[in-house]
Amino acid sequence: MKRAIVNAVVHTGEEIIENGVVIVENGTIISVQTETPNDIETIDLKGKHLAAGFIDIQINGGEKYYFSQTPNEETIQDIYDASMQYGTTHVLPCLISSSRETILKGIEAVREYRIKHQNGVIGMHLEGPFLNPQRRGAHSIDQVRKPTNEELQEIISKGKDVIKVITIAPECFTEEQLQMLIESGITISIGHSTITHKEAQAYFSKGINLVTHLFNAMTQFGHREPGLVGAVFENEEVYAPVILDGVHCDYAAAKIAYKLKQDKFFLISDATFLGRKVANFRWDKFDAHLVDGFYRNEDGNLAGATISMAEAVQNAYNHLNISADEAIKMATARVASAIGMQDKVGKIKSGFPASFVQFEADLSTITTLDLTK
């Protein structure tokens, strides 16, 4: 069925069209124009703004279930359904450092889910287990490990077309292992790492152009040793995702990072759960307790985020001194580019999914408009 979204301020990801019209058919955007066609069902936005739905490449749980604890289709559905409530139409469920069996189970669950459901679950993010134990954060010390050629090859083979992003500490890899991963085509993100500024630049020169949650679980910027953070700031090709909740990253630090990174700066949630409905959670040696709106473990350290992508976008607009259009790009087109999916999602463009967010000019309200079904 063909429908037209009319009377909207359309943020395509490339331009802003006043009084725009978006034509949709069978869940896909057909065209973006200014003329309203005759004899077609219309959806009147009454002057509201329209953009592509948000993309979250790092989300750990929905409103009820945590993917690393129960890596199955029910959890994936929970993550997708919860995300849709907050403007996020495309997700990478994130599996943190786990056993070989759990990782393979997660890969298979995502694969089977995507066969059955043609929606915005675009793959998965494997965060670990090949991390530096000194920067493991909330990851279990029992699960963090160095790769073997056999396990790495199995993950690459079984994870083909499922794992879109893998977070690693590259100092834990041999040159042969790192080359295996680079040649796999999986987007590599550096995180939970102790590498120096010089080492980071060497890894970036190999084609790695993404880090995991800038500032968190990495070597910091210093005037004598700029660290991984300094290498990200210096290298114009590297994308810098931020958990913009004011706690994982202070707004002043985010403002500085944005000034330096510009179109390589984007948003993630890294949400443990969405909706702040789960007050206490324990899995393996990982625990999270809702304290003053944030998840902390029993030691008082941060244990994942509670923020949604909609809240992150609002925070960007309110604290980074940027336009609403720029804040939207941080959750859409820019995210898609970071994972090599800029030709598939993240814009209002012919051939792209008809999944949108509608919002007020000041981003005070953001709601999902999904026309993919």
Side-chain angles (χ1 to χ4, degrees):
M1 183 175 76
K2 187 177 289 187
R3 288 176 283 184
I5 303 172
V6 302
N7 195 18
V9 180
V10 180
H11 299 248
T12 69
E14 298 174 348
E15 61 179 333
I16 302 173
I17 302 174
E18 300 286 344
N19 295 316
V21 175
V22 180
I23 309 298
V24 172
E25 187 173 21
N26 298 326
T28 301
I29 299 169
I30 302 302
S31 67
V32 185
Q33 55 197 56
T34 55
E35 304 82 20
T36 302
N38 296 321
D39 302 322
I40 185 173
E41 179 184 335
T42 61
I43 300 172
D44 189 349
L45 257 58
K46 300 179 180 179
K48 285 187 177 181
H49 293 242
L50 186 76
F54 303 146
I55 307 165
D56 192 353
I57 67 166
Q58 191 165 353
I59 179 167
N60 302 283
E63 288 191 336
K64 297 182 291 184
Y65 303 119
Y66 188 76
F67 188 51
S68 299
Q69 181 188 38
T70 51
N72 56 33
E73 293 182 43
E74 186 177 12
T75 299
I76 297 167
Q77 190 65 51
D78 178 42
I79 290 173
Y80 178 69
D81 289 343
S83 296
M84 288 287 283
Q85 295 181 48
Y86 301 98
T88 301
T89 59
H90 292 83
V91 295
L92 293 181
C94 184
L95 190 82
I96 68 171
S97 297
S98 302
S99 66
R100 168 189 170 276
E101 292 74 19
T102 299
I103 291 170
L104 296 182
K105 187 177 179 181
I107 291 170
E108 186 61 23
V110 172
R111 185 185 306 280
E112 289 299 316
Y113 180 91
R114 295 183 71 209
I115 291 172
K116 296 176 183 177
H117 306 275
Q118 304 299 313
N119 60 21
V121 177
I122 54 177
M124 68 175 274
H125 181 156
L126 181 58
E127 187 184 4
F130 311 127
L131 310 177
N132 193 309
Q134 296 179 47
R135 295 278 183 173
R136 73 181 189 277
H139 293 235
S140 172
I141 188 63
D142 294 338
Q143 300 298 346
V144 171
R145 57 191 180 273
K146 287 188 176 182
T148 63
N149 284 18
E150 292 75 19
E151 184 176 17
L152 187 61
Q153 186 56 55
E154 184 175 36
I155 288 173
I156 291 171
S157 176
K158 298 287 180 62
K160 184 180 180 181
D161 300 325
V162 173
I163 301 174
K164 298 300 182 186
V165 178
I166 182 169
T167 294
I168 66 166
E171 68 269 26
C172 298
F173 284 63
T174 65
E175 283 295 321
E176 178 188 2
Q177 291 169 343
L178 189 60
Q179 193 58 37
M180 286 169 58
L181 201 51
I182 290 171
E183 292 176 358
S184 74
I186 297 170
T187 298
I188 300 170
S189 185
I190 298 177
H192 295 274
S193 171
T194 62
I195 57 176
T196 65
H197 170 268
K198 183 177 180 181
E199 290 168 337
Q201 293 293 29
Y203 289 121
F204 291 152
S205 72
K206 295 177 182 292
I208 300 173
N209 64 356
L210 179 64
V211 296
T212 294
H213 41 53
L214 182 68
F215 296 118
N216 293 279
M218 62 179 63
T219 47
Q220 301 300 299
F221 177 83
H223 69 290
R224 289 193 174 94
E225 169 47 56
L228 177 52
V229 171
V232 172
F233 287 163
E234 185 180 13
N235 194 306
E236 295 180 356
E237 300 303 315
V238 177
Y239 286 87
V242 168
I243 308 167
L244 197 60
D245 60 5
V247 175
H248 281 83
C249 180
D250 187 273
Y251 295 125
K255 190 181 294 185
I256 292 168
Y258 171 66
K259 286 182 178 179
L260 292 169
K261 297 306 301 180
Q262 294 292 306
D263 64 355
K264 296 298 191 293
F265 182 103
F266 71 93
L267 303 171
I268 56 174
S269 76
D270 198 20
T272 303
F273 295 97
L274 286 171
R276 299 177 177 87
K277 295 181 179 180
V278 177
N280 296 285
F281 174 72
R282 185 178 296 276
W283 163 68
D284 194 19
K285 293 185 178 180
F286 175 79
D287 65 281
H289 311 278
L290 197 59
V291 180
D292 297 328
F294 298 94
Y295 284 117
R296 296 186 181 276
N297 62 21
E298 291 176 349
D299 296 325
N301 298 319
L302 289 168
T306 59
I307 196 171
S308 69
M309 288 295 285
E311 291 172 297
V313 168
Q314 289 167 333
N315 286 341
Y317 177 73
N318 291 325
H319 295 283
L320 302 188
N321 297 329
I322 59 174
S323 67
D325 186 65
E326 182 69 1
I328 290 291
K329 287 177 182 176
M330 291 178 179
T332 54
R334 213 158 285 167
V335 189
S337 294
I339 60 172
M341 296 189 70
Q342 63 272 18
D343 295 329
K344 296 180 179 180
V345 293
K347 294 181 181 180
I348 296 181
K349 190 173 182 179
S350 177
F352 281 49
S355 50
F356 311 99
V357 288
Q358 54 183 331
F359 55 96
E360 303 292 341
D362 63 356
L363 291 168
S364 56
T365 61
I366 300 173
T367 57
T368 308
L369 177 60
D370 182 32
L371 301 181
T372 58
K373 295 180 178 63

